[in-house]
């Protein structure tokens, strides 16, 4: 891994680990006690940010899907639908940011370059989407790679990677540990359609694999457990993805 990239010199002076967290819109604003959940989540993030730097990327959730489906009905094409999704992710990002106070970079980060710059001075940076064609999982993975994060956490609506979709298949079983190659097989059928739902975007899986990142998939609404993952505990309930 090249260590001579512009901007990285300053960063190597910080010893605190960097954790990159993909927060699904489906867990942030599903319409179920969202304010108290977000309040509790911001408390956890602020506490963790005392000892770690955090890259938080927020998904579009219902807002994205609702607007995308109306825009589709009005005749919009895929790239335009993705752009609507990105706008939704950034609105959700701004909502989460409202509760993060002075530890947080005050602007929703829109590009990888902005992320690299913002992490130099802020304990927490918050982003939504960046470009059409992928999801916020992929954005998180790319920011994690570029900013040399130590750990990637996917805080999502399911409590790990399953052998098949647990919402559709009652026989689906949770997998405790998995390799990137195996995970890629599970998520490969994902077509990349605007608003599509899969446990992890295949692009995110590929980026995390090549940067040999340790990753976790956890249920984001289970805050005690998400906190364990953020604290680097080995007792996390979810799926661990090992780099080798
Ligand atoms: P996500 O799929 O990342 O959010 O973005 P989500 O649906 O909240 O994620 P989960 O499933 O709960 O974890 C919503 C939509 O925004 C567009 C895509 O259309 C995506 O489906 N998007 C998002 C982009 O086109 N580019 C991005 O960088 C991010």
């Amino acid at each position: 891994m090249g260590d001579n990239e512009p901007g990285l010199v300053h960063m190597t002076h910080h010893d605190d680990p960097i954790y990159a967290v993909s927060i699904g819109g489906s867990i942030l604003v599903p319409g179920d006690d969202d304010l108290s959940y977000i309040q509790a989540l911001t408390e956890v993030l602020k506490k963790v940010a005392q000892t770690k730097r955090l890259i938080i990327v927020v998904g579009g959730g219902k807002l994205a899907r609702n607007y995308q489906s109306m825009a589709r009905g009005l005749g919009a094409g895929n790239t335009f639908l993705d752009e609507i999704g990105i706008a939704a992710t950034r609105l959700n990002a701004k909502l989460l940011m409202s509760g993060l106070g002075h530890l947080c970079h005050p602007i929703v980060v829109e590009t990888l370059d902005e992320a690299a710059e913002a992490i130099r001075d802020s304990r927490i940076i918050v982003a939504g989407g960046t470009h059409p064609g992928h999801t916020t999982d992929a954005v998180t993975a790319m920011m994690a790679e570029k900013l040399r994060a130590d750990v990637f956490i996917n805080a999502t609506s399911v409590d790990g990677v399953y052998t098949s979709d647990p919402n559709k298949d009652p026989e689906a079983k949770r997998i405790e540990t998995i390799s990137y190659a195996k995970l890629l097989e599970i998520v490969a059928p994902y077509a990349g359609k605007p608003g599509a739902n899969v446990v992890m975007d295949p692009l995110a899986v590929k980026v995390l694999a090549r940067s040999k990142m340790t990753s976790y998939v956890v249920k984001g609404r289970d805050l005690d457990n998400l906190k364990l993952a953020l604290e680097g505990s080995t007792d996390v309930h979810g799926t661990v993805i090992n780099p080798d």
Side-chain angles (χ1 to χ4, degrees), residues 24-26 59-61 65 68 82 85-86 129-132 134-136 139 194-195 197:
S26 52
R65 289 196 182 87
Q68 285 175 328
D82 279 342
I86 293 168
T130 55
H131 294 94
H134 55 238
T135 69
T136 45
V139 172
N197 209 348

Side-chain angles (χ1 to χ4, degrees), residues 49-171:
Q50 303 296 331
T51 54
K52 295 187 171 78
R53 285 182 294 157
L54 297 174
I55 302 163
I56 310 289
V57 185
V58 182
K62 269 190 192 164
L63 182 67
R65 289 196 182 87
N66 185 14
Y67 272 59
Q68 285 175 328
S69 96
M70 285 194 283
R72 192 179 283 116
L74 291 165
N78 284 330
T79 298
F80 199 86
L81 294 175
D82 279 342
E83 286 165 353
I84 285 181
I86 293 168
T89 64
R90 289 180 178 158
L91 187 62
N92 287 339
K94 203 150 190 167
L95 175 65
L96 177 64
M97 186 185 275
S98 315
L100 289 172
H102 70 279
L103 290 171
C104 181
H105 185 71
I107 297 165
V108 176
V109 164
E110 298 196 350
T111 65
L112 300 182
D113 282 349
E114 279 175 29
E117 194 165 69
I119 198 80
R120 293 166 143 238
D121 300 318
S122 302
R123 306 291 304 175
I124 308 176
I125 65 168
V126 182
T130 55
H131 294 94
H134 55 238
T135 69
T136 45
D137 290 347
V139 172
T140 318
M142 289 185 273
M143 288 185 179
E145 181 173 73
K146 186 173 168 79
L147 278 50
R148 310 283 159 99
D150 298 277
V151 173
F152 170 100
I153 298 170
N154 190 1
T156 185
S157 55
V158 282
D159 63 347
V161 178
Y162 279 71
T163 47
S164 54
D165 187 344
N167 296 317
K168 291 181 192 145
D169 180 2
E171 302 285 294

